[in-house]
C-alpha cells in the first residue's frame, strides 16, 4: 500500500506543478475572469484545490483546528502556487514516514466544516485527496481552454508513469 500511495503522491506533485506552470504565465485578469465551473475562476479553483490538500494534510497530522488557507491567504498567486507545491510534497513526506502499512489502516476521526464527525482509514483520506486534486486539475484544463490557452501539458497518471 505504501508503494502505491507514494506513487500517487509523486504523481500529484508532478501534475500540480505542470498545471501551475501554465497558470503562472496568465495575467491576473485572466486568473480572476469568471468562468462557469465548480468555482468561479481559475484562481478560485487553484485556491480551493490547494486549501483542500492542506486541510487533509492537517487532519492527517491530527491538527485540532485545521485552517482553510484560502479564507485567510493574502499573498500573491505565485506564492499560493509555491505553497500548494509544498503542501503536495508534505503529503508525500507523510506517506514516506509511515513505518508500515498499519499506519494507512489507522482510522482517522475528523470534523467537516459543518462540525460533523467522520471516520475513515488514512489510505482512504489520501486517495480522496489525490483524486480530488485530479478532478479540479481537469476543471482547470477546461477553464484554461475557455480563456484561449492551447498549450496545456498532459497531466494524466499514465503520462506520469511513462
Amino acid at each position: 500500500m505504501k508503494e502505491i500511495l507514494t506513487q500517487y503522491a509523486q504523481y500529484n506533485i508532478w501534475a500540480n506543478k505542470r498545471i501551475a506552470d501554465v497558470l503562472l504565465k496568465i495575467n491576473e485578469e485572466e486568473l480572476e475572469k469568471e468562468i462557469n465551473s465548480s468555482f468561479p475562476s481559475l484562481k478560485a479553483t487553484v485556491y480551493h484545490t490547494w486549501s483542500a490538500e492542506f486541510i487533509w494534510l492537517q487532519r492527517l497530522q491530527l491538527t485540532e483546528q485545521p485552517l482553510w488557507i484560502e479564507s485567510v491567504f493574502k499573498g500573491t498567486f505565485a506564492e499560493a502556487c509555491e505553497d500548494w507545491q509544498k503542501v503536495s510534497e508534505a503529503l508525500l513526506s507523510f506517506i514516506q514516514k509511515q513505518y508500515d502499512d498499519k499506519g494507512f489502516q489507522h482510522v482517522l476521526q475528523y470534523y467537516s466544516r459543518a462540525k460533523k464527525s467522520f471516520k475513515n482509514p488514512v489510505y482512504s483520506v489520501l486517495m480522496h485527496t489525490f483524486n480530488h486534486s485530479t478532478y479540479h486539475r481537469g476543471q482547470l484544463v477546461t477553464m484554461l481552454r475557455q480563456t484561449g490557452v492551447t498549450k496545456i501539458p498532459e497531466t494524466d497518471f499514465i503520462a506520469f508513469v511513462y
Side-chain angles (χ1 to χ4, degrees), residues 10-26 46 77 81 84-85 88-89 137-138 140-141 144 149 151-162:
Q10 291 168 333
Y11 159 67
N12 191 59
I13 292 165
W14 173 84
N16 284 348
K17 181 171 183 351
R18 289 176 72 101
I19 203 78
D21 286 348
V22 172
L23 290 160
L24 286 167
K25 295 175 185 170
I26 296 172
V46 167
F77 184 73
C81 287
W84 181 21
Q85 197 68 20
S88 298
E89 291 166 1
R137 279 192 306 271
L140 287 166
V141 167
L144 282 163
V149 177
K151 293 187 178 187
I152 303 170
E154 191 172 359
T155 58
D156 286 340
F157 179 77
I158 200 67
F160 169 73
V161 297
Y162 286 154

Side-chain angles (χ1 to χ4, degrees), residues 1-17 53 85 87-93 95-96 104 122-135 137 155-161:
M1 184 174 306
K2 185 174 185 175
E3 183 179 332
I4 194 162
L5 290 170
T6 296
Q7 188 177 38
Y8 272 109
Q10 291 168 333
Y11 159 67
N12 191 59
I13 292 165
W14 173 84
N16 284 348
K17 181 171 183 351
E53 283 191 20
Q85 197 68 20
V87 169
S88 298
E89 291 166 1
L91 287 163
L92 172 61
S93 180
I95 292 166
Q96 291 172 329
F104 302 114
V122 167
Y123 76 88
S124 293
V125 167
L126 288 163
M127 291 304 294
H128 164 74
T129 303
F130 303 138
N131 188 57
H132 178 266
S133 292
T134 299
Y135 173 79
R137 279 192 306 271
T155 58
D156 286 340
F157 179 77
I158 200 67
F160 169 73
V161 297

Side-chain angles (χ1 to χ4, degrees), residues 39-64:
F39 296 91
S41 68
L42 289 161
K43 187 176 186 179
T45 304
V46 167
Y47 280 28
H48 168 77
T49 308
W50 161 44
S51 195
E53 283 191 20
F54 186 52
I55 205 75
W56 286 112
L57 175 64
Q58 291 173 87
R59 288 171 175 162
L60 289 165
Q61 294 171 332
L62 306 178
T63 302
E64 281 190 43

Side-chain angles (χ1 to χ4, degrees), residues 23-128:
L23 290 160
L24 286 167
K25 295 175 185 170
I26 296 172
N27 66 47
E28 193 72 22
E29 184 178 311
E30 288 294 318
L31 289 171
E32 294 185 8
K33 179 180 176 182
E34 189 167 334
I35 302 171
N36 286 335
S37 192
S38 295
F39 296 91
S41 68
L42 289 161
K43 187 176 186 179
T45 304
V46 167
Y47 280 28
H48 168 77
T49 308
W50 161 44
S51 195
E53 283 191 20
F54 186 52
I55 205 75
W56 286 112
L57 175 64
Q58 291 173 87
R59 288 171 175 162
L60 289 165
Q61 294 171 332
L62 306 178
T63 302
E64 281 190 43
Q65 305 242 337
L67 173 69
W68 284 89
I69 196 73
E70 67 187 322
S71 64
V72 297
F73 180 71
K74 301 291 184 216
T76 67
F77 184 73
E79 290 168 334
C81 287
E82 183 179 322
D83 195 63
W84 181 21
Q85 197 68 20
K86 288 178 184 175
V87 169
S88 298
E89 291 166 1
L91 287 163
L92 172 61
S93 180
F94 174 86
I95 292 166
Q96 291 172 329
K97 288 179 182 175
Q98 301 307 306
Y99 179 72
D100 60 25
D101 283 355
K102 290 178 186 170
F104 302 114
Q105 298 291 339
H106 174 77
V107 174
L108 175 69
Q109 181 177 3
Y110 58 93
Y111 295 88
S112 68
R113 283 181 166 178
K115 307 287 186 229
K116 184 175 179 186
S117 176
F118 291 93
K119 293 181 181 181
N120 295 104
V122 167
Y123 76 88
S124 293
V125 167
L126 288 163
M127 291 304 294
H128 164 74

